[in-house]
Amino acid sequence: MNILVNRQRFNIHPDWQDETLLAVLREHLGLVGTRFGCGMGQCGACTVLLDGQAQRSCLLPVSAVQNQAVETIEGLAGRDGGLHPVQQAWLDERVPQCGYCQAGQIMATVALLRQDPAPSPARVDEALAGNLCRCGTQQRIRAGVQRAVVLQRGRP
């Protein structure tokens, strides 16, 4: 079995084929940006993009993603190493406090902005409602999303 992660094909050893996508990403492939939070799909820390849609990797068996493209936080940076506009916006707005939830927040925001390049504040709240931040940086997250909207407009 193989999977496509961040535009690269990986062979998955038979010993790993019954694991979750999260376990394979972190433990087998060494892509540790995707975080383990609750393990029940409730907190959003493990959010990745699956064919462009935000998905909880802690709930997905790796066998379910064989024919789909997986994108993790590590795959967002440009080929030149430049940050994705959402990543840059997060830094500009000083969004992270502890930072644990931020990869999931960023991935959910990327999915949202790919679907709706200029979402309303209500749409942002709706799209990110399943991504918990225990530090209380929701206002900075909202500001980060709005800055990302502006930054993406200037992106080629």
Side-chain angles (χ1 to χ4, degrees), residues 2-76:
N2 65 64
I3 61 173
L4 181 64
V5 179
N6 300 331
R7 299 172 300 279
Q8 184 177 354
R9 267 237 180 253
F10 292 93
N11 287 320
I12 305 303
H13 189 276
D15 291 348
W16 287 91
Q17 292 178 14
D18 291 329
E19 296 291 336
T20 64
L21 176 59
L22 177 63
V24 170
L25 291 172
R26 291 185 58 81
E27 308 300 327
H28 186 55
L29 302 180
L31 298 171
V32 297
T34 304
R35 304 298 177 99
F36 178 85
C38 66
M40 300 182 302
Q42 303 280 321
C43 72
C46 68
T47 301
V48 298
L49 303 185
L50 189 58
D51 284 343
Q53 301 296 313
Q55 297 289 325
R56 304 295 197 255
S57 63
C58 72
L59 297 177
L60 280 171
V62 72
S63 59
V65 304
Q66 286 185 77
N67 298 315
Q68 299 174 62
V70 176
E71 191 172 2
T72 70
I73 191 79
E74 292 91 347
L76 287 183

Side-chain angles (χ1 to χ4, degrees), residues 37-38 43 97-98 101-102 105 131-138:
C38 66
C43 72
Q97 187 166 324
C98 84
C101 69
Q102 295 310 301
Q105 298 275 0
N131 291 76
L132 303 180
C133 175
R134 294 172 192 242
C135 297
T137 65
Q138 286 81 1

